[in-house]
Amino acid sequence: MTLPFDVGVRATNARVIEPERAPATLRVVTDTRTLQRGQTFLALRGGRFDGHDYVAQAVAAGAVAVVVDRESARVPGVTTLVVEATLPAYMALASAARDRFTGRVVGITGSAGKTTTKSFLEQLLVAHRRVLAAPANENNEIGVSALLLAASNDAHDVLVVEMGARKYGDVAALVAIARPEIGVLTNVGEAHVEIMGSRERIEETKWGLFSGGARAVLNLSDVASRRRAASLSSAPRWFYSGDELSRRPERGAFCAIIGRTRLVVDDADGARAEYDIDVRLPGAHNRADLAAAVAAAIELGVPVEALLGAIPSLSLPKGRFERLTLAGTNVIYDAYNASATGTMASLDAFSDEPSA
């Protein structure tokens, strides 16, 4: 998203050095390796790097302005926005970009299945909406900010924002800048309990997805979601996956994948439609993530019939249940930063594989 220069200054409360050289607009990036001439470089700090060490490199590559919190890093002759701290400034710029985005925003969080659900939703939408989603699991303050700043009203109708949480309250902080109108909560588990302190604090953090009023898409199999649903201002859209239709919500619309061949969709008034589908994904947990993605697509207004053709060809994100052949041996590669729940789900899926 291109921001007018003055909007960026106000958003970050920056002190501007050499304003007479300022560009009319800001196109903010944080990586000199991808920086293009005419963009603005913002110097973030990480555990192993400090973007302030690369300001001169960014200017040499064509940056027309820089955002820093260490003034000594600036390059004379280039407009510099000096801020109190660059990460909050980056988030503030992302929030300003969100203000200007006219499309729809979907937020996805949960203790397990976030990245897979995001990937499935992106694949389901791509033929019907101009969609932008962050690559891999870039779901923290930096990743969410980067996605919002990469959005364009000319190129995107929907942003699919994955929201992770490493500490208590993280999701609400991401919601404050991304402001999703639809929120998909895959489940509430035990991921990061050693940092959060308790399952209750995990639950509160995940439920922060709805702190901005997002319409809820909830897992009918999740105890916390069933318990908290009554607190929502409007009825949620539920999703469910199982071998039979054994659960029904007390209120709200409903989307269920039964086995691998049946999709059941109820509207809020209880009218039901059933569809034949062909799910080729391994594991019950992946079918649950698919049900979540289908429910979110329906919430976005995509007709169910338009989604059916994409279901057989859906693929898992890299590192999830990848099938490889090594020296004539079939290998399933499943290696990513998963919670205990996700690991057990993958093992359950592996147990369904044929022995020969």
Side-chain angles (χ1 to χ4, degrees), residues 296-347:
I298 295 171
E299 194 70 24
L300 282 166
V302 180
V304 179
E305 294 81 0
L307 303 172
L308 303 180
I311 290 176
S313 59
L314 292 174
S315 61
L316 291 165
K318 187 175 179 59
R320 271 77 167 171
F321 224 83
E322 289 187 49
R323 298 180 186 274
L324 309 172
T325 301
L326 299 177
T329 301
N330 294 326
V331 175
I332 292 177
Y333 175 77
D334 197 84
Y336 59 99
N337 185 21
S339 64
T341 299
T343 300
M344 293 303 297
S346 292
L347 290 173

Side-chain angles (χ1 to χ4, degrees), residues 178-250:
R179 299 188 289 282
E181 60 181 284
I182 298 170
V184 182
L185 178 56
T186 60
N187 47 57
V188 178
E190 75 297 323
H192 306 311
V193 69
E194 76 282 3
I195 299 172
M196 299 279 191
S198 69
R199 187 181 176 91
E200 289 72 25
R201 285 169 70 86
I202 294 173
E203 184 177 317
E204 290 175 19
T205 295
K206 300 301 182 185
W207 209 256
L209 180 60
F210 310 114
S211 58
R215 297 199 305 275
V217 176
L218 299 177
N219 187 347
L220 191 58
S221 298
D222 184 63
V223 174
S225 294
R226 295 200 306 271
R227 183 176 65 251
R228 282 182 172 257
S231 68
L232 296 169
S233 58
S234 60
R237 182 178 295 275
W238 295 94
F239 65 89
Y240 171 74
S241 175
D243 293 328
E244 58 184 25
L245 192 56
S246 58
R247 294 183 183 272
R248 291 294 308 277
E250 293 182 4

